[in-house]
Amino acid sequence: MKKTYTTTLLLLIFLGLFGCGGSNNYDGKTGLISSTSNQSSKDISIKNIYDNVILRDINSSYTQSLVLISSVKSLNDTQSMATLETSQKEFKKLALLYKRVESTYVAGRESDDMRDIADFYLEQFIFNSKGDTLFNDLQRIFNGTGALYKNSHKGLTALEYALFDKAINNNEMLEKMNSIRLTSALTMAKTISQNLLLVKDYYENKSTFLEDADTAISLVLNQLVDNAYKLKEKRLGDGGGFTLKYKDNPDVKRLEYYKSTNTLEAIKEILTTHKKIMDSGLSKIATLGNASSEAEAIVSTLNEAITICNSYSGSLEDGLSTSKTLELYNATAILQANYTALINGLNFEQDLLEADGD
Amino acid sequence: MEYLGTGYFLNIDNRVYWLYILSALSIALYFIYKNPQYSYALSKKIWWHKSAKNDYLYFVMISFIKLAIILPLVTYLFSAKDVSLLVSLFLQDNFGYMQKVNYSREFVVVLYTLALFVFGDFSRYILHRLLHTVPLLWRLHQVHHSAEVLNPLTFYRVHPFENILFALRYALIFGLVTGSFIYIFGASIGIVEIAGANVFVFVFGVLGANLRHSHIPLRYGKFIEKIFISPSMHQLHHSTKYTNKNYGGILAIWDYMFNSLVHAKKDEIIEFGLKNKKVHSNVFNMLIEPLRR
Ligand SMILES: [Zn+2]
Ligand SMILES: [Zn+2]
């Protein structure tokens, strides 16, 4: 009996040692830090995101800012309806391209200076009543009765006001285009362009994004989840009357680009940019980290939200109080939760068992 | 063959990783060199004792049970991943979304690793104490304490139901801590690692964690033993006399705070096993006996 026991035991141990490979299917890897075999695939994905989305978008934004400058110059020269319309069209294009830059703005997470450029000089959406103060200040400047504040002529929102006022018709607009307004518009366009150039230069020469894939992944994820939150809460919730603050009190004036009736396009641009990030590498990264279902949920919510955007017959400003807006708001709420789920999923690459006492 | 536990020796996250065994052996040899009266710790009497042989066989068996039954079961019931997501969404819903400020990643990683360690160790203390004080649980935990001699594999001499309790504890605590951190810091979290292992697991392993279940009464000195549980202190926990003391895993502060700390008296001879002299004569008995009656 004793002998059988010993033999069985030795046999089992021998078999075990003989059969064991190097891998272990429940080794306790946690965190976004992961095994080296996946590391190069992650590096490639991060590089793709950088090249195909971040760099490409800042470059097209900057290029478009130069086009805008020249169209505002023509407007200054001729003050015609045609040049006004061209300037407005080029402005809208720039605003949309800038939404792409803003959605993936990891620069602001890498460097405080870069964060300030976006927040104060390029103006990520003015969320509150600061907007009204800004427009009153600007109007005083254009009337020649106010002093030019340091920041009041810097951002996209200011330029939008200079070119569109408060969504008035273009005949009226042309009348309002006095020389102060025209030169201010040109200064604003130039300042925006200079700041975009700083961002472009940062991404091209200073960013540390490609140095460490795990840090880059965490920056991208935090940026996307924050951006999804702002999309839901500020871009849709406050305007549509879905947030606590403005419950059942929708108001188009709270929409980001109501003056240029460009808000729906801007939202679509944000959603499309998110999708590009997923397709360029984030979905791949999620698969490597055993979180492909979380990534799939994000992509399908993005598709759903884009479909809702496309179903508006006109602008969001016109269709704000339709049921579509609530649908879109709900989709972005799910999107935000899905990003949280992806962050969570990537943190638990494997099911592991820690079941021993002491 | 992983199902038979061999992977444990090659996995840096496990107590019996070969390097940790090697370092424990080195410490043991040095200890015996300094205190020759403990040379019996390496004797056949200890390592080929019936209780030790039971440990070895039990290790093979329980490894299979854990991988084939407990892991799928616990993952299905209650995974750390699910708990964590629920916690972060719950916090968002009730306290509002927190924008992901750019704290330095190093800072977050260190803080998260520390939090997992402290809450993890504390929850182990609580569960371990409950295993001793709740009669039904004590019946399960006696399997661990019926060992008459100690060796590193005694660590795994744990009834499967107790394994399930520890696994649930892990999912709960890991999930709670991770969910809270994701709520505040988003994707910036991560674990401080050495050679791919949690820094605490690694350091604890290299410093001789395996001696806790051995006959080498290594002590850290009175002061350090108020903070960390030394191998000698866990051996006291296995003694018939001090079973209800030193419940701690790595930290001794819980025992200190809740009055269950004890240090070895000089040259005190301790006897391992259960006060009621219960022994489990074979591995099947270890599985079945706690469930009888
Ligand atoms: Zn023990
Ligand atoms: Zn115990």
Side-chain angles (χ1 to χ4, degrees):
Chain A
M1 177 65 200
K2 194 175 169 218
K3 217 169 179 181
T4 328
Y5 190 91
T6 315
T7 319
T8 318
L9 182 62
L10 284 175
L11 188 69
L12 280 173
I13 289 173
F14 173 76
L15 274 173
L17 285 171
F18 186 72
C20 72
S23 73
N24 186 306
N25 60 3
Y26 68 99
D27 63 342
K29 289 278 177 268
T30 51
L32 299 166
I33 302 153
S34 169
S35 65
T36 42
S37 59
N38 287 343
Q39 207 58 44
S40 63
S41 315
K42 276 198 217 167
D43 287 340
I44 294 167
S45 300
I46 282 296
K47 181 102 173 53
N48 280 342
I49 290 174
Y50 201 58
D51 291 345
N52 300 341
V53 188
I54 296 177
L55 280 180
R56 193 173 286 178
D57 288 343
I58 184 60
N59 274 300
S60 23
S61 286
Y62 176 66
T63 310
Q64 177 60 24
S65 74
L66 299 177
V67 176
L68 176 64
I69 290 174
S70 81
S71 69
V72 177
K73 257 187 200 147
S74 310
L75 175 64
N76 267 265
D77 294 342
T78 64
Q79 294 164 47
S80 67
M81 181 61 84
T83 50
L84 174 64
E85 279 170 359
T86 311
S87 298
Q88 289 177 335
K89 195 183 84 199
E90 301 304 344
F91 171 85
K92 283 182 163 191
K93 268 197 207 163
L94 176 65
L96 296 184
L97 286 169
Y98 182 64
K99 284 305 108 183
R100 301 184 187 180
V101 175
E102 193 188 280
S103 303
T104 62
Y105 198 64
V106 289
R109 293 176 183 273
E110 289 180 358
S111 138
D112 287 347
D113 288 346
M114 297 314 290
R115 190 192 57 218
D116 290 350
I117 285 180
D119 283 0
F120 301 126
Y121 304 137
L122 287 164
E123 272 165 13
Q124 305 207 28
F125 186 23
I126 293 179
F127 292 135
N128 44 37
S129 57
K130 245 167 70 192
D132 285 334
T133 321
L134 172 71
F135 304 139
N136 293 337
D137 288 348
L138 285 172
Q139 195 52 56
R140 272 200 295 276
I141 295 165
F142 300 154
N143 295 342
T145 56
L148 206 80
Y149 290 111
K150 213 169 178 254
N151 287 337
S152 57
H153 63 292
K154 281 181 173 158
L156 284 159
T157 316
L159 181 55
E160 188 194 20
Y161 182 77
L163 292 175
F164 294 88
D165 208 285
K166 290 183 177 171
I168 57 179
N169 74 54
N170 274 353
N171 288 324
E172 223 179 304
M173 193 64 233
L174 209 52
E175 273 171 38
K176 286 197 163 203
M177 279 291 174
N178 63 18
S179 63
I180 304 179
R181 194 168 195 137
L182 284 166
T183 47
S184 299
L186 189 56
T187 314
M188 288 169 185
K190 283 178 178 167
T191 319
I192 289 167
S193 181
Q194 280 160 13
N195 283 314
L196 286 173
L197 184 60
L198 287 177
V199 176
K200 177 171 132 78
D201 177 57
Y202 177 83
Y203 277 132
E204 281 171 352
N205 304 310
K206 297 175 192 141
S207 171
T208 52
F209 192 75
L210 296 178
E211 280 172 18
D212 174 50
D214 290 318
T215 306
I217 293 166
S218 75
L219 290 181
V220 168
L221 286 169
N222 278 350
Q223 174 60 26
L224 292 179
V225 69
D226 270 3
N227 192 250
Y229 165 77
K230 285 180 192 160
L231 175 58
K232 176 201 87 172
E233 197 77 3
K234 305 294 174 190
R235 296 199 161 87
L236 284 158
D238 282 353
F242 307 125
T243 53
L244 272 182
K245 201 169 159 193
Y246 300 108
K247 192 99 198 114
D248 299 323
N249 171 26
D251 185 353
V252 286
K253 290 205 183 69
R254 281 185 230 113
L255 294 178
E256 185 171 21
Y257 290 110
Y258 87 91
K259 296 183 282 318
S260 52
T261 38
N262 206 22
T263 306
L264 187 63
E265 296 305 314
I267 289 171
K268 222 164 92 181
E269 205 65 48
I270 292 167
L271 293 167
T272 313
T273 307
H274 279 230
K275 207 165 161 242
K276 268 194 298 180
I277 292 273
M278 296 305 295
D279 295 345
S280 304
L282 195 52
S283 288
K284 177 83 200 279
I285 287 167
T287 307
L288 291 171
N290 247 337
S292 51
S293 63
E294 284 88 342
E296 281 158 20
I298 290 173
V299 173
S300 96
T301 312
L302 285 168
N303 286 334
E304 191 192 317
I306 292 169
T307 309
I308 300 172
C309 286
N310 288 334
S311 72
Y312 279 86
S313 49
S315 67
L316 184 64
E317 285 76 13
D318 290 337
L320 186 64
S321 45
T322 64
S323 62
K324 285 177 199 224
T325 313
L326 181 60
E327 268 177 61
L328 187 56
Y329 172 80
N330 288 337
T332 55
I334 293 169
L335 180 66
Q336 185 207 317
N338 285 346
Y339 276 118
T340 306
L342 176 60
I343 291 171
N344 188 63
L346 282 172
N347 211 47
F348 294 90
E349 275 186 28
Q350 272 147 330
D351 296 327
L352 90 144
L353 187 65
E354 198 188 289
D356 299 302
D358 235 315
Chain B
M1 282 303 122
E2 227 145 76
Y3 277 82
L4 302 179
T6 47
Y8 282 68
F9 300 102
L10 300 171
N11 180 353
I12 196 158
D13 288 308
N14 274 321
R15 173 70 65 85
V16 291
Y17 180 58
W18 63 269
L19 181 69
Y20 307 152
I21 294 278
L22 204 65
S23 76
L25 185 63
S26 314
I27 297 169
L29 289 174
Y30 182 76
F31 187 90
I32 290 167
Y33 170 73
K34 288 281 177 187
N35 311 278
Q37 71 270 31
Y38 287 104
S39 59
Y40 73 88
L42 298 176
S43 72
K44 209 176 145 186
K45 232 170 69 194
I46 304 277
W47 290 86
W48 222 228
H49 190 283
K50 184 141 197 312
S51 164
K53 285 193 274 189
N54 271 336
D55 287 358
Y56 310 147
L57 195 57
Y58 189 79
F59 170 71
V60 174
M61 191 175 66
I62 196 72
S63 301
F64 178 84
I65 293 174
K66 280 195 280 194
L67 215 48
I69 302 168
I70 301 181
L71 176 64
L73 178 78
V74 171
T75 311
Y76 174 74
L77 283 178
F78 197 75
S79 77
K81 183 174 169 176
D82 298 339
V83 174
S84 171
L85 183 59
L86 280 175
V87 167
S88 39
L89 293 178
F90 172 84
L91 290 172
Q92 259 180 50
D93 286 347
N94 288 278
F95 301 101
Y97 180 80
M98 268 184 91
Q99 302 227 22
K100 306 301 177 261
V101 185
N102 307 308
Y103 299 101
S104 109
R105 193 166 140 84
E106 284 75 19
F107 164 74
V108 179
V109 166
V110 169
L111 197 68
Y112 175 62
T113 308
L114 259 176
L116 278 182
F117 168 65
V118 173
F119 286 99
D121 200 66
F122 183 49
S123 64
R124 281 178 164 281
Y125 173 84
I126 293 175
L127 178 54
H128 191 184
R129 201 173 169 145
L130 289 173
L131 285 163
H132 279 261
T133 48
V134 177
L136 211 67
L137 299 181
W138 172 234
R139 261 159 64 183
L140 301 173
H141 191 52
Q142 283 186 53
V143 171
H144 185 61
H145 281 275
S146 68
E148 298 155 84
V149 292
L150 301 181
N151 67 77
L153 290 183
T154 311
F155 176 60
Y156 297 102
R157 180 180 170 135
V158 169
H159 192 272
F161 286 4
E162 184 181 328
N163 283 134
I164 292 176
L165 291 175
F166 268 98
L168 294 176
R169 169 213 69 89
Y170 171 80
L172 183 70
I173 296 301
F174 197 24
L176 278 171
V177 173
T178 306
S180 311
F181 268 74
I182 287 178
Y183 171 63
I184 302 170
F185 301 108
S188 305
I189 66 173
I191 289 185
V192 183
E193 294 181 328
I194 296 181
N198 180 312
V199 63
F200 289 106
V201 173
F202 186 86
V203 171
F204 188 56
V206 165
L207 290 182
N210 282 299
L211 295 177
R212 293 159 68 88
H213 296 109
S214 81
H215 292 252
I216 302 290
L218 181 69
R219 300 199 50 179
Y220 293 159
K222 225 180 171 119
F223 179 72
I224 297 179
E225 286 186 347
K226 282 203 172 87
I227 304 168
F228 297 106
I229 300 274
S230 68
S232 153
M233 288 163 80
H234 190 66
Q235 289 156 21
L236 286 182
H237 177 69
H238 276 272
S239 74
T240 50
K241 190 169 168 193
Y242 297 113
T243 312
N244 293 323
K245 297 282 177 191
N246 296 354
Y247 298 112
I250 297 183
L251 292 174
I253 53 174
W254 319 120
D255 281 302
Y256 184 71
M257 279 163 64
F258 301 107
N259 270 323
S260 49
L261 193 70
V262 72
H263 302 289
K265 300 198 176 59
K266 206 171 174 349
D267 298 324
E268 189 174 10
I269 293 162
I270 55 174
E271 191 194 347
F272 295 133
L274 290 164
K275 206 177 250 164
N276 59 16
K277 303 283 175 212
K278 186 195 286 177
V279 288
H280 291 97
S281 51
N282 63 56
V283 292
F284 302 106
N285 197 242
M286 282 150 84
L287 286 181
I288 303 303
E289 185 275 332
L291 309 177
R292 279 212 186 115
R293 197 172 4 163

